[in-house]
């Protein structure tokens, strides 16, 4: 075997950008019928705000309508669940086990935290078992708290919570000396089972066990799911490092390196203008041939997945612009992507039958780019069902 086979494959940042854009279906929109495969290819659409996830899919799928996404959720081919970083994503139902089981080590950390607070394993296990037992049908958070508390022989509680600074009280379950809001309890449950969102009951979301909700449910053992998730991540976000994978999944670097080591035979080192990273061995040829063939402009929404795959982000924007995009409390601003780099932030608002789009550019942009921004905004108006679109670029 020659020494050359052990040397990292050298590529440019332009090749990397073109490769990633293609894998995210951002260089060319996919046909509408490919919606579910697009969600899989992009490794899930982040969905704290469902409207943002819908726009993320619009940026990748040609002629998409909101009804197409709603139909996929109704038909249970697409599901919403807490996956990477215990954050909400839309993922294909048939691959949900890979996304949840593959990140279960993050949930195990929550169990270790409870153990460190003096809660015996038997108490935590009983709470998890009670929750999984209750979730054989879609239940709201108060219903889950009531049923789990009853199964444990304790009185359910109401505590301040709800996330993002909300002060309303939410249903909670006593677990030993701790009190868990239902969403936090479900984070514990993710260490042992697979739970997803069901249909809304009024304004309340519901939660249900995947095997009780998804037709022809196929579970995957955790170790297998971890390997499959790493390969999915590298197909979407490669080249990348174990540090990037740890950040994206929310697991520890030690755990990420362990999973990475198990998949080492499938991974090839690459040198990106001095940055040492890796891709799947099967992707080397496509990476070597990747190139941007034309001007690419996309309007990407809040919490856009393309911006959250790597720890270092200099490839996306200059350091001085990062605070405009990566904002306090985990908010990721909507951005204008031009040939793979962030050129502006943007916002939109509906005023009657008019969509107003405001773009705040980071520097000068060409007339061609401005024209493409306006084209994208017009199609966004179509997607949102708003016939008139005004675009302001400052």
């Amino acid at each position: 075997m020659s020494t050359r086979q052990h040397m990292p494959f050298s590529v440019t940042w332009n090749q990397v950008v073109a490769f990633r854009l293609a894998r995210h279906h951002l260089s060319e929109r996919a046909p509408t019928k490919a919606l579910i495969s697009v969600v899989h290819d992009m490794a899930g659409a982040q969905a704290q705000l469902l409207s943002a996830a819908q726009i993320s899919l619009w940026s990748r799928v040609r002629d998409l309508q909101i009804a197409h996404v709603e139909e996929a959720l109704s038909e249970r081919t697409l599901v919403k669940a807490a996956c990477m970083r215990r954050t909400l994503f839309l993922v294909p139902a048939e691959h949900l086990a890979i996304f949840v089981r593959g990140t279960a080590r993050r949930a195990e950390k929550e169990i270790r935290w409870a153990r460190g607070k003096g809660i015996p394993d038997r108490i935590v296990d009983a709470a998890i078992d009670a929750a999984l037992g209750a979730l054989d049908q879609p239940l709201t958070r108060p219903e889950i708290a009531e049923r789990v508390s009853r199964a444990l022989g304790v009185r359910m509680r109401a505590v301040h919570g709800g996330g993002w600074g909300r002060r309303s009280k939410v249903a909670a379950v006593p677990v030993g000396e701790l009190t868990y809001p239902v969403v936090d309890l479900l984070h514990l449950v993710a260490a042992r089972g697979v739970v997803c969102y069901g249909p809304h009951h009024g304004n309340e979301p519901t939660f249900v066990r995947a095997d009780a909700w998804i037709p022809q449910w196929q579970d995957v053992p955790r170790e297998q799911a971890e390997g499959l998730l790493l390969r999915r991540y590298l197909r979407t976000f490669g080249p990348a490092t174990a540090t990037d994978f740890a950040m994206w999944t929310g697991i520890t670097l030690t755990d990420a390196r362990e999973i990475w080591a198990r998949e080492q035979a499938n991974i090839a080192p690459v040198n990106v203008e001095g940055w040492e990273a890796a891709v799947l061995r099967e992707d080397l040829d496509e990476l070597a041939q990747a190139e941007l063939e034309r001007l690419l402009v996309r309007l990407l929404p809040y919490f856009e997945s393309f911006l959250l795959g790597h720890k270092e982000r200099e490839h996306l924007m200059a350091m001085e612009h990062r605070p405009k995009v990566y904002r306090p409390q985990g908010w990721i601003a909507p951005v204008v992507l031009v040939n793979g780099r962030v050129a502006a932030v943007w916002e939109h608002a509906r005023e009657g039958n008019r969509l107003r789009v405001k773009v705040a550019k980071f520097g000068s942009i060409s007339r061609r780019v401005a024209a493409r921004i306006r084209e994208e905004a017009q199609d966004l108006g179509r997607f949102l069902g708003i016939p008139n679109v005004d675009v302001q670029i400052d």
Side-chain angles (χ1 to χ4, degrees):
M1 188 177 292
S2 69
T3 305
R4 176 71 179 170
Q5 287 177 282
H6 295 284
M7 294 175 63
F9 188 78
S10 293
V11 293
T12 66
W13 273 111
N14 285 341
Q15 289 170 296
V16 169
V17 168
F19 176 82
R20 290 177 182 164
L21 289 170
R23 288 301 173 91
H24 273 265
H25 295 278
L26 287 169
S27 53
E28 183 173 355
R29 284 179 165 96
T32 308
K33 65 182 180 181
L35 172 61
I36 305 303
S37 62
V38 167
V39 179
H40 182 231
D41 291 346
M42 66 185 287
Q46 200 157 320
Q48 292 105 310
L49 299 174
L50 182 58
S51 59
Q54 292 168 341
I55 292 175
S56 186
L57 296 175
W58 158 78
S59 71
R60 293 165 165 84
V61 179
R62 189 166 57 251
D63 300 324
L64 187 69
Q65 299 174 21
I66 291 175
H68 294 138
V69 182
E70 293 174 341
E71 182 181 358
L73 287 166
S74 176
E75 293 178 348
R76 309 181 197 181
T77 54
L78 202 61
V79 292
K80 183 165 74 169
C83 306
M84 288 69 69
R85 306 179 298 282
R86 308 312 305 151
T87 297
L88 297 181
F89 280 81
L90 296 184
V91 297
E94 67 175 306
H95 300 298
L96 176 62
I98 295 171
F99 289 100
V100 175
R101 298 286 192 197
T103 56
R105 293 183 191 228
R106 176 69 179 82
E108 291 285 359
K109 189 164 72 172
E110 304 291 345
I111 292 177
R112 291 195 298 273
W113 181 87
R115 189 181 296 137
K117 292 292 183 180
I119 309 301
D121 285 354
R122 62 181 175 80
I123 299 295
V124 174
D125 289 342
I128 292 173
D129 289 343
L132 287 172
L135 290 170
D136 59 351
Q137 58 183 306
L139 297 176
T140 64
R141 283 171 288 201
E143 289 170 341
I144 294 168
E146 191 276 327
R147 295 190 187 202
V148 173
S149 296
R150 187 172 62 213
L152 296 176
V154 298
R155 181 174 294 179
M156 67 177 282
R157 296 177 182 169
V159 298
H160 288 290
W164 284 348
R166 296 174 189 162
R167 298 185 59 81
S168 58
K169 286 194 171 185
V170 297
V173 177
V175 180
E177 299 301 313
L178 300 175
T179 300
Y180 280 87
V182 169
V183 169
D184 293 339
L185 177 62
L186 293 178
H187 287 171
L188 289 181
V189 170
R192 303 283 189 269
V194 181
V195 172
C196 63
Y197 277 61
H200 268 67
H201 286 177
N203 292 326
E204 276 281 333
T206 65
F207 304 84
V208 60
R209 266 196 343 257
D211 64 288
W213 183 247
I214 296 173
Q216 300 176 320
W217 166 249
Q218 291 186 330
D219 207 347
V220 179
R222 191 176 83 174
E223 185 170 312
Q224 181 184 350
E226 289 171 343
L228 290 169
L229 185 64
L230 173 57
R231 278 175 264 166
R232 175 70 272 154
Y233 168 77
L234 287 174
R235 286 190 186 98
T236 305
F237 292 100
T241 67
T243 299
D244 295 326
F245 182 60
M247 188 215 70
W248 181 73
T249 54
I251 66 178
T252 67
L253 180 55
T254 298
D255 286 342
R257 284 173 172 162
E258 179 189 321
I259 298 167
W260 196 279
R262 290 203 310 260
E263 294 295 319
Q264 196 62 56
N266 299 315
I267 297 171
V270 294
N271 183 303
V272 187
E273 298 182 18
W275 179 54
E276 299 292 339
V279 295
L280 288 179
R281 199 170 296 278
E282 66 193 46
D283 285 338
L284 280 172
D285 287 346
E286 188 171 333
L287 175 60
Q289 296 168 26
E291 61 178 337
L292 279 176
E293 297 178 352
R294 57 185 176 274
L295 175 64
L296 174 70
V297 176
R298 291 286 184 267
L299 301 179
L300 302 180
Y302 282 109
F303 307 113
E304 167 55 44
S305 298
F306 187 77
L307 306 180
L308 293 167
H310 304 89
K311 184 176 181 181
E312 300 300 331
R313 287 147 182 171
E314 286 78 3
H315 62 285
L316 290 168
M317 72 202 77
M319 187 72 72
E320 67 201 74
H321 300 309
R322 283 182 59 171
K324 302 170 188 172
V325 176
Y326 300 95
R327 295 177 179 174
Q329 297 184 311
W331 281 85
I332 311 299
V335 303
V336 178
L337 201 69
V338 178
N339 290 344
R341 285 184 64 82
V342 176
V345 292
W346 67 284
E347 59 186 23
H348 72 284
R350 181 171 193 155
E351 298 177 8
N353 66 349
R354 190 167 296 278
L355 178 68
R356 298 197 184 277
V357 175
K358 293 184 179 180
V359 176
K361 60 185 188 290
F362 293 167
S364 61
I365 60 173
S366 69
R367 289 182 179 178
R368 285 182 64 212
V369 169
R372 291 297 304 278
I373 289 173
R374 295 179 192 281
E375 288 174 14
E376 288 291 304
Q378 287 290 337
D379 194 61
L380 178 63
R382 175 203 60 79
F383 175 69
L384 296 175
I386 308 173
N388 303 303
V389 179
D390 292 338
V391 181
Q392 178 182 336
I393 302 176
D394 296 320

